[in-house]
């Protein structure tokens, strides 16, 4: 029993199309949320309650590069955590801070005269993480 290569390819293509049909039907499902409130095509992810007090991504017009924006985000996290520790509060202080405060605090965190790399973002992240951990620990007591 011999089959031509074209016939085998056609058979394989048909099998592939038939096997992909269930996936195509699932992809057309209109919702990802059982309640039916979120459209699958929007890929919207609801914010977790714990994220409500998380410093958001900075606006694109804050700085020309993502590196600088990420640094300013870390600085804002540090400022918020420091204030929470100083005031001994466990409530979200995010609404009391603005991006301008992170920009104004740059000299305190600056490690270089290079305007494109004025600070070490990874060091700022580590400092912000440590301070936030102290806040969580203080609030857990």
């Amino acid at each position: 029993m011999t089959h031509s290569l074209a016939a085998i390819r056609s058979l394989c293509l048909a099998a592939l199309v038939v096997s992909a049909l269930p996936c195509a039907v699932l992809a057309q499902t209109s919702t990802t949320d059982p309640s039916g409130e979120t459209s699958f095509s929007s890929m919207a992810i609801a914010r977790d309650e714990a994220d409500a007090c998380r410093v958001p991504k900075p606006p694109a017009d804050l700085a020309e590069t993502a590196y600088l924006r990420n640094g300013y985000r870390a600085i804002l996290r540090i400022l918020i955590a420091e204030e929470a520790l100083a005031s001994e509060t466990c409530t979200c202080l995010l609404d009391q801070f603005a991006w301008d405060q992170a920009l104004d605090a740059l000299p305190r965190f600056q490690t270089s005269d290079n305007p494109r790399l004025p600070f070490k973002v990874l060091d700022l992240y580590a400092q912000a993480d440590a301070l936030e951990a102290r806040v969580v620990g203080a609030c857990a007591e």
Side-chain angles (χ1 to χ4, degrees):
M1 175 185 275
T2 61
H3 297 285
S4 72
L5 185 58
I8 292 173
R9 284 184 180 167
S10 296
L11 183 59
C12 288
L13 179 60
L16 180 65
V17 169
V18 169
S19 67
L21 285 176
C23 295
V25 170
L26 289 175
Q28 295 299 320
T29 302
S30 62
T31 64
T32 58
D33 183 24
S35 67
E37 296 175 12
T38 306
S39 170
F40 178 80
S41 62
S42 73
M43 297 298 287
I45 298 173
R47 282 191 82 148
D48 191 6
E49 284 183 32
D51 287 345
C53 194
R54 185 174 168 208
V55 176
K57 289 183 177 181
D61 62 351
L62 184 69
E64 65 184 75
T65 66
Y67 183 87
L68 292 173
R69 289 189 300 272
N70 289 334
Y72 290 129
R73 181 180 187 202
I75 290 172
L76 195 60
R77 288 176 54 207
I78 291 168
L79 296 175
I80 292 170
E82 287 175 343
E83 179 61 28
L85 289 169
S87 64
E88 297 180 350
T89 184
C90 294
T91 59
C92 181
L93 301 176
L94 180 59
D95 60 346
Q96 298 176 19
F97 287 83
W99 290 111
D100 291 342
Q101 291 170 279
L103 296 172
D104 293 342
L106 173 61
R108 181 176 149 203
F109 299 98
Q110 193 166 354
T111 58
S112 166
D113 290 333
N114 182 347
R116 294 181 90 28
L117 302 169
F119 39 64
K120 296 178 182 175
V121 173
L122 293 179
D123 292 349
L124 292 174
Y125 280 173
Q127 186 177 352
D129 290 343
L131 285 169
E132 287 173 346
R134 284 182 50 201
V135 171
V136 169
C139 290
E141 294 175 355

